Amino acid sequence: MRLIGVTGGIGSGKTTVSNYLKEKYQLPIWDADIYARQAVEIGSPILNEILDRYGSDLVLSDGNLNRPRLGEIVFNLPEERRWLEKQIHPYVRDRFAQNIEKLASIGSRGSETRGPMASFDGPTAVLAVPLLFEAQMTDLVTEIWVVYLRPPKQIERLMLRDRLTREQAVARINAQVSLEEKRSLADVVLDNSSTPLALLEQVDLAIAKKVGG
Ligand code: ADP
């Protein structure tokens, strides 16, 4: 099995890479952000825990979690952030583990691995996990790809995409493990400081090369 963990910093180009892997190589993309949102769906035990802790007015009028408000609370209180992560990360990890188990059983039956990736041993999947290092999920993947970007560019793209001021963009970037550190822990570094095309060429090279095997 080939399990590619795609990570990086906020605004570094992770989504661009995942979308390309899905479209060009028809790989399944398992997205930690989607699972994290599902973890707190209306009626979920985790949402109930959150409301017990912070009050039932932390939901919108439709009953959904008011994510921006929760974000404000935990952004300023590291202790609360740790508490919240302790609720959500195990759920996300579980979802990945279930997917991996399912994929392994398909692989062991053999014939289902088709398409452009059929030449690799067994099936391949992509785990898109912004907090792969922070949430200690590196053991779930067989190779780590870090989408890297030089810091001034990261600030610039984040400001543009999310309409943030420079200060807001810098605060969000500083809340994560630095890209330099992530880069030093990668099996594959995809440098996205240049054009999107240059990034995707690096993806093609990384896919063709099976890391560590
Ligand atoms: P992430 O998923 O890591 O937060 P995205 O893939 O959403 O990052 O990219 C962040 C923003 O930068 C998006 O608006 C995207 O379209 C843009 N972008 C990505 N790569 C490039 C590039 N090489 N040149 C210019 N803009 C880019």
Side-chain angles (χ1 to χ4, degrees):
M1 244 192 314
R2 189 179 190 192
L3 300 169
I4 301 169
V6 173
T7 191
I10 180 169
S12 73
K14 301 180 298 292
T15 309
T16 308
V17 168
S18 296
N19 287 345
Y20 182 69
L21 287 169
K22 181 175 173 187
E23 279 153 30
K24 174 152 183 193
Y25 296 98
Q26 291 138 46
L27 292 176
I29 310 294
W30 304 334
D31 187 329
D33 284 345
I34 292 178
Y35 300 150
R37 275 197 292 276
Q38 290 172 348
V40 295
E41 269 173 4
I42 297 177
S44 68
I46 300 178
L47 178 58
N48 293 337
E49 288 284 333
I50 291 170
L51 299 182
D52 277 351
R53 192 172 180 92
Y54 302 116
S56 51
D57 58 343
L58 201 65
V59 290
L60 303 165
S61 52
D62 63 3
N64 277 302
L65 178 64
N66 187 337
R67 297 168 60 84
R69 267 204 50 206
L70 180 62
E72 277 165 33
I73 296 173
V74 302
F75 191 75
N76 294 308
L77 298 168
E79 194 60 35
E80 295 307 309
R81 184 156 89 199
R82 274 193 289 278
W83 178 83
L84 184 64
E85 286 171 349
K86 231 173 89 190
Q87 314 301 310
I88 293 178
H89 289 171
Y91 175 91
V92 174
R93 168 179 271 279
D94 240 44
R95 294 288 302 271
F96 281 135
Q98 284 165 20
N99 289 351
I100 291 168
E101 212 172 292
K102 224 181 292 169
L103 193 71
S105 73
I106 290 171
S108 65
R109 288 204 300 278
S111 60
E112 280 88 345
T113 310
R114 294 198 191 91
M117 301 309 295
S119 57
F120 288 106
D121 323 325
T124 300
V126 176
L127 286 76
V129 196
L131 301 181
L132 188 75
F133 296 110
E134 293 88 338
Q136 287 155 356
M137 292 194 195
T138 53
D139 61 305
L140 290 172
V141 303
T142 58
E143 57 197 85
I144 299 170
W145 295 10
V146 169
V147 189
Y148 172 81
L149 186 60
R150 279 193 287 273
K153 285 252 168 183
Q154 188 183 14
I155 297 169
E156 223 172 83
R157 286 197 199 145
L158 194 56
M159 287 171 67
L160 200 66
R161 188 191 63 179
D162 295 350
R163 291 172 200 195
L164 301 176
T165 65
R166 178 166 298 274
E167 289 68 34
Q168 286 169 324
V170 169
R172 266 160 227 213
I173 289 167
N174 288 345
Q176 300 186 330
V177 171
S178 82
L179 256 181
E180 295 302 331
E181 195 177 335
K182 290 183 180 181
R183 176 193 196 181
S184 72
L185 298 167
D187 296 306
V188 172
V189 177
L190 303 168
D191 190 333
N192 191 21
S193 303
S194 173
T195 62
L197 189 64
L199 172 67
L200 302 181
E201 281 171 3
Q202 295 170 71
V203 172
D204 289 336
L205 289 175
I207 272 291
K209 175 179 95 167
K210 187 165 179 181
V211 176

